[in-house]
Every structure is written in C-alpha cells, then in structure tokens.
Amino acid sequence: MVDSATGNLVGIDLGTTFSVIAQFQQDGSARTIANLDGEPLTPSAVYLDLSTNTALVGRAACEAATAEADKVAMFVKRDMGKPFYSQLVCGRRMRPETLSAIILRKLKQDAEKRIGPTHRAVITVPAFFDDTRRKATQDAGRIAGLDVIDIINEPTAAALAYALVDRQPATDQGVLDLPGGTLTALVYDLGGGTFDVTVVRLHSRRFETLATDGAVKLGGKDWDDKIVEYVAREFQRQHGLNPLDDPQRRVAIHVEAEKKKRLLSKLPKVPIECFHAGRSLKLELTRSQFEELSRDLLAQTQMVTQLVVQQAKLGWHQIDRVLLVGGSTRMPMVKEMLRQATGKVPDDSLDADQVVARGAALHAGILAAREGEGELELEEEARDKLRDVEVLNVNAYSLGVEAARGDRMVNAILINKNTQLPYAASRIFRIRHAGATSVRVKVLEGEAPSAEDNILIGECQITGLPPNLPAKSPVQVRLSYSENGRISVMALDMTAGRLAQAEIRREHGMTDEDIRRECAFVQNLRIE
Ligand code: AMP
C-alpha cells in the first residue's frame, strides 16, 4: 500500500522514446533526477526475460533490441489506450499499461536510490490524449505503485516550467517578463512519437490554455523512418535486395538512422553505411537532402500550428513567444519553419527534453502548496509563489453522445472542443419502454458528424431506475470533463428527482481486478 502522505513529490514525463523524472524542491523549483547510468533521459524501452522474471529498462533494453527484438518493447506510448501492445513480447500479449508501468517503476526505483521514498507523482500526457489514453496512463502509474496525484498536459507543464523555473537565480527571480501583464505563448512540442501545439496565455499567476491540437502518430520516429526508407531504397537499387526484410538488420538500420538524424542537426552532411547479406552500401546524406525527404512531415506540423493559432482566435502577431519542447525541435528545419511562420525567434533556452518533467514536478508542488500539506516543508517564499497559481485547460476533443437521427446514428455534441475546463453539459434521454430500469448511451470524443467516425470512449450505463416508469420518462445525463481532461458521468431520474447510478464502461479499459493482477506481475519482476 502506498503511504501517500510522505516521500518526495515528482513529475514524470512518460515519453514515446525517452522518459524523465524530476523532483519538486523545497525552494519551489524542480530538478531532473539522473538515472543510475547518470543520464537524465531514460529510453522508454523494455526488455523482458520471463524465464528469470527480469526486465531491463533504458539503454540496456535498446542494446538488446538488435539481437533479441522479440523480447523488446519500444514506442509503447503510441499504443496507449489499446488493449494490447502492437507486437508480442516474449511470445506474450502485453498491455501497454503494464509495459509503461515497468518504465515508471524503473524511474521510481532509480530516483529513490538518489532522493529516498517517492510515491506521489504527476504524470504528463499529450494534450490531445483522449479519455481512454488518459485513464491508461493513470492505470500505468497505479500498476507501478505510484500515487498519481494528477495528470497534466505536456504543453501546460512546459509552459509552467518556462514561466516558473529560475534560469539565473542570482538575477532572475523566475518570473516571466510579462508585457502588459500577460504573455501569449505558442508551445510547439515535437517529441519522439507525438506532436502537439498549444497556445497558452500566461498571466502572473494564471495559466490559461486557449487552444490545442496535435497528432498521436507524428514524431521524431517518422523522421528516422525517412532515412531508413532512403537507405533501403538505395540498397535495393544497387544490390536488388531489401535489407529491411531481415528483422535484426531492420532494427540496426533504425538505430543508425536515429543517430545520423541527430548528427544532421549539427553537421551539413553525414556518411551512412549499411551491410546486409554480404553486400555493403556507402552513401552520404546532406541536411538539405534530409529536409527534402521529410518535407511532408514538417508541413503537417506547420498546418496544425496554423490551425491552432486560428482556433485560439489569434493572429501570428499576437503570439509573443514560441517555446520549443521535445527533442525533435533540435532539428534546424523546425526552428526555421517556426521563425518564418511566426516572425519570432523560437525560445529554446530550457532543455527541450527535460522541461516537461520539470513542469510536472512544479504542478505537483502547486497542488501540494494549495492543499497546505503539513508534510511538505516548503520555504515560505515558494509557498507564496505557488499557492495561488491557477492552471486552466481546454479539451482537445468535443464530447458527445450517440443519438438517432432518422435512420442514422449521429454524434450529438454536448461540449465543444477547446472549451475551458472543468465543464459539464447535460442532455435529456427518454426511456424507450414502460418499466425499463436502465438506459445506455454511447459516449464519443471527436467532431465528426457520424457517430462511428469518432472515438468511442465507452458505454454510459444508467441503472437502478424505479421499475414503474412510463415509456418516454425523462432521464437527465450529465457528462463532465474535469480539469485534467478525464470524463465522468452523472444521471438524474427526472420523474422522482433522484440521482440514478451511472458509470462509463470502457470497452478495453482495465478493471480494478486487472490492475491488481498486473501490479503483482510487475512487483515480481526484477527491474534493472
Ligand atoms: P523526446 O521524446 O522529447 O525526448 O524526443 C525524442 C526525440 O527527439 C527522438 O526522436 C530523438 O531522435 C529526437 N532528438 C533528440 N535530439 C535530437 C537532435 N539533436 N536532432 C534531431 N532529433 C533529436
């Protein structure tokens, strides 16, 4: 059992390619904690050996991937919300929550060696994660034995860090220079596997998200794939063989491509070598060739960025700062595109890889300061600085219910996308037949008019209605988004004026029993 009243407060960026843990400090700042290899970034890779009940997480797992690809899981975040990870691991179907929990446990374990007991954590999620993926992230935390005090959107965490982190403690008190009292910032976050853009307005103690959008499957990995495809094409052209047909070679080429991509952020050209089936290929890739190969990817991010600024009802000239988050923003093409689009030089003054975890730790501190927790020994000044900070979010998807219109099932939207949270909306349903004691409603996230084109969150089941209701009796269903984007439901039997039982049954979501079972599995593993 977790003793949630004691121990350190941490923020965790559970990333597609790397994960980072940061500690909230008594002086109101946040500090990244290095893993036992001495590195702040832990690759989000898991190697499992079920015969010895051992898991390797991080660099060791990445190294094992070349020789034993069937025992390694990578890019798990892309599968969050699905019932299973996209490949078998050790011949076994694994839940993405469990694999993520193994990563989280490793972060916790390494952190504890440096800072002592660590239970309470804020975990970050991309702003456009739907309710299913948010729940999966929280469940992963529970399986890892963490007390997940909140989840927070990655761009919001980044904005918090940019605003509150002391850059030069001697001269700068960590307070952003806010022209006219407010500052509007665009947070462009391109990580390893996900992309999002958010417009935030920072007041001195208020963080307001104006609009957000993104793509679950767009990130640095897609840029790597462009190099991989290029090498495979050239190899095929010279030798008539596709090196990607060999699974181990494929992993090796991916690893090499990622390294070369990073080098291209610094150098104008890099040599690439590829060996396969006794043949070899040597070529040179220039930065401009690479930019040409990945032009469509960059254009996608530009389109989303433009859309989000429009959704915030702003023009480019009203954006004061462009904040860079995520390792992939180190690519010069990203900075150049943003500079041209916004007319501003993007701000990369904080470490793009660590800023999200630090912001999450600050959020944990804000929550604790607000609750005035006795256990948290905060310096007076820090408590004053954080106590009144208010973070306001918006929802990335419209929330609706399935409704019949003629012979079609449509999406009846109750809460529009980009509404400030928390927010609730109601709709009246009528029971079909006299004597029915339950009502079922499908809950949808998305904007598409047709019900089936949206994300089905689950079925909202209203049960325990009195047995004698006449046909067409009204039942009011109230759906709400909490501040952290999670959905909940309430129902009112309007005939009796009494609350009815209401619950959202998620199709692939984990039950408490599932969580206990996976928790036991993870606890039994030796994680290194
Ligand atoms: P994150 O998930 O934010 O840690 O971002 C990880 C992604 O950033 C991976 O796809 C990395 O390959 C990429 N990345 C990190 N450093 C660089 C760099 N110097 N140039 C290009 N991409 C980078």
Side-chain angles (χ1 to χ4, degrees):
M1 204 54 222
V2 169
D3 175 5
S4 54
T6 58
N8 294 291
L9 279 173
V10 291
I12 298 179
D13 173 5
L14 180 60
T16 312
T17 41
F18 292 97
S19 294
V20 183
I21 185 166
Q23 180 194 17
F24 177 70
Q25 316 250 76
Q26 285 178 359
D27 64 358
S29 67
R31 179 179 68 111
T32 309
I33 309 164
N35 60 25
L36 290 187
D37 295 328
E39 289 163 357
L41 272 63
T42 301
S44 305
V46 179
Y47 166 92
L48 265 189
D49 181 353
L50 291 178
S51 64
T52 56
N53 261 354
T54 306
L56 301 182
V57 175
R59 198 150 300 290
C62 293
E63 278 156 18
T66 323
E68 296 178 279
D70 56 331
K71 289 187 173 179
V72 176
M74 290 167 120
F75 306 109
V76 177
K77 188 169 178 177
R78 286 189 163 187
D79 290 327
M80 277 306 234
K82 293 189 189 151
F84 296 107
Y85 174 60
S86 56
Q87 288 159 25
L88 296 179
V89 186
C90 294
R92 190 179 152 146
R93 287 204 300 184
M94 299 283 300
R95 290 204 65 114
E97 291 93 329
T98 310
L99 291 166
S100 303
I102 296 172
I103 299 169
L104 290 170
R105 237 196 127 85
K106 162 77 172 163
L107 296 172
K108 169 173 151 63
Q109 199 175 287
D110 281 13
E112 285 183 331
K113 293 231 167 76
R114 297 191 188 277
I115 61 171
T118 299
H119 303 303
R120 290 174 298 166
V122 167
I123 304 179
T124 62
V125 289
F128 56 86
F129 253 27
D130 56 53
D131 181 75
T132 309
R133 294 187 182 101
R134 283 171 195 262
K135 177 176 185 299
T137 306
Q138 282 175 318
D139 288 345
R142 280 176 68 192
I143 297 170
L146 288 166
D147 173 13
V148 184
I149 54 175
D150 205 358
I151 45 175
I152 181 175
N153 289 344
E154 286 157 14
T156 312
L160 270 177
Y162 267 101
L164 296 173
V165 160
D166 290 344
R167 288 143 206 252
Q168 299 150 325
T171 55
D172 178 347
Q173 292 308 300
V175 180
L176 266 185
D177 176 23
L178 302 178
T182 66
L183 179 138
T184 307
L186 181 125
V187 184
Y188 177 100
D189 181 352
L190 187 60
T194 55
F195 167 65
D196 51 65
V197 183
T198 304
V199 176
V200 287
R201 181 157 291 158
L202 312 177
H203 308 264
S204 65
R205 286 180 188 267
R206 213 158 81 114
F207 293 73
E208 196 183 343
T209 300
L210 301 183
T212 187
D213 213 330
V216 197
K217 290 207 168 175
L218 184 64
K221 182 182 183 301
D222 300 287
W223 269 261
D224 304 347
D225 288 347
K226 293 289 182 187
I227 300 181
V228 171
E229 286 159 17
Y230 172 67
V231 172
R233 244 188 346 260
E234 288 299 307
F235 201 97
Q236 184 121 28
R237 206 167 54 81
Q238 281 199 19
H239 301 299
L241 287 169
N242 185 353
L244 302 181
D245 290 341
D246 173 349
Q248 287 189 357
R249 183 63 45 211
R250 174 190 284 267
V251 175
I253 297 175
H254 268 279
V255 171
E256 180 71 5
E258 200 262 349
K259 284 188 191 147
K260 298 296 164 154
K261 175 190 73 173
R262 284 174 186 249
L263 268 181
L264 280 173
S265 295
K266 295 203 178 100
L267 302 174
K269 58 180 186 221
V270 292
I272 300 185
E273 278 185 293
C274 175
F275 302 97
H276 172 60
R279 325 258 165 108
S280 75
L281 171 80
K282 283 188 184 179
L283 39 91
E284 194 176 73
L285 182 64
T286 65
R287 186 187 288 164
S288 53
Q289 264 175 313
F290 174 50
E291 291 177 350
E292 191 53 41
L293 289 171
S294 52
R295 202 159 42 154
D296 59 321
L297 300 174
L298 192 69
Q300 276 183 56
T301 74
Q302 183 170 3
M303 218 170 65
V304 175
T305 308
Q306 235 144 19
L307 210 75
V308 171
V309 174
Q310 271 170 23
Q311 282 169 359
K313 301 192 175 62
L314 297 176
W316 287 117
H317 63 285
Q318 289 161 299
I319 304 286
D320 303 311
R321 291 264 284 271
V322 178
L323 309 181
L324 295 182
V325 182
S328 301
T329 57
R330 295 209 178 92
M331 293 188 292
M333 66 177 100
V334 169
K335 288 183 192 156
E336 186 49 30
M337 180 275 285
L338 286 168
R339 200 188 56 76
Q340 281 190 12
T342 64
K344 313 234 153 46
V345 179
D347 183 344
D348 55 1
S349 58
L350 292 186
D351 200 325
D353 297 310
Q354 297 173 35
V355 53
V356 168
R358 290 165 75 181
L362 289 168
H363 181 61
I366 290 168
L367 293 178
R370 197 180 296 158
E371 282 158 22
E373 287 189 26
E375 287 292 333
L376 185 76
E377 288 184 10
L378 256 185
E379 287 170 14
E380 196 65 22
E381 203 182 317
R383 194 181 291 275
D384 282 350
K385 185 168 104 179
L386 296 178
R387 195 172 35 209
D388 303 326
V389 174
E390 206 186 348
V391 179
L392 299 170
N393 261 319
V394 295
N395 52 327
Y397 295 96
S398 299
L399 184 63
V401 290
E402 185 181 88
R405 188 163 300 150
D407 54 359
R408 285 185 315 124
M409 298 313 282
V410 299
N411 175 18
I413 292 179
L414 297 186
I415 304 177
N416 278 313
K417 174 184 173 141
N418 285 327
T419 300
Q420 205 157 72
L421 306 182
Y423 197 87
S426 306
R427 188 182 165 101
I428 294 171
F429 290 84
R430 294 185 183 273
I431 64 169
R432 271 202 204 153
H433 312 290
T437 55
S438 64
V439 177
R440 284 161 191 240
V441 186
K442 283 188 178 161
V443 181
L444 309 170
E445 274 191 314
E447 287 70 49
S450 172
E452 63 181 7
D453 296 335
N454 294 281
I455 304 160
L456 172 64
I457 295 304
E459 208 169 70
C460 163
Q461 303 196 334
I462 293 127
T463 50
L465 295 170
N468 51 359
L469 290 177
K472 300 218 164 111
S473 296
V475 176
Q476 188 185 49
V477 177
R478 184 171 180 272
L479 284 172
S480 53
Y481 267 122
S482 64
E483 277 143 323
N484 64 16
R486 290 297 318 275
I487 297 170
S488 58
V489 62
M490 275 170 63
L492 180 74
D493 161 18
M494 296 177 78
T495 316
R498 264 207 325 245
L499 283 180
Q501 280 171 14
E503 134 184 68
I504 300 179
R505 291 239 171 105
R506 292 164 171 88
E507 203 178 348
H508 302 300
M510 296 183 88
T511 61
D512 284 351
E513 182 50 38
D514 295 333
I515 291 175
R516 267 193 294 276
R517 192 192 54 237
E518 297 302 292
C519 207
F521 170 76
V522 173
Q523 257 169 9
N524 257 330
L525 287 174
R526 194 160 54 92
I527 300 176
E528 286 176 9

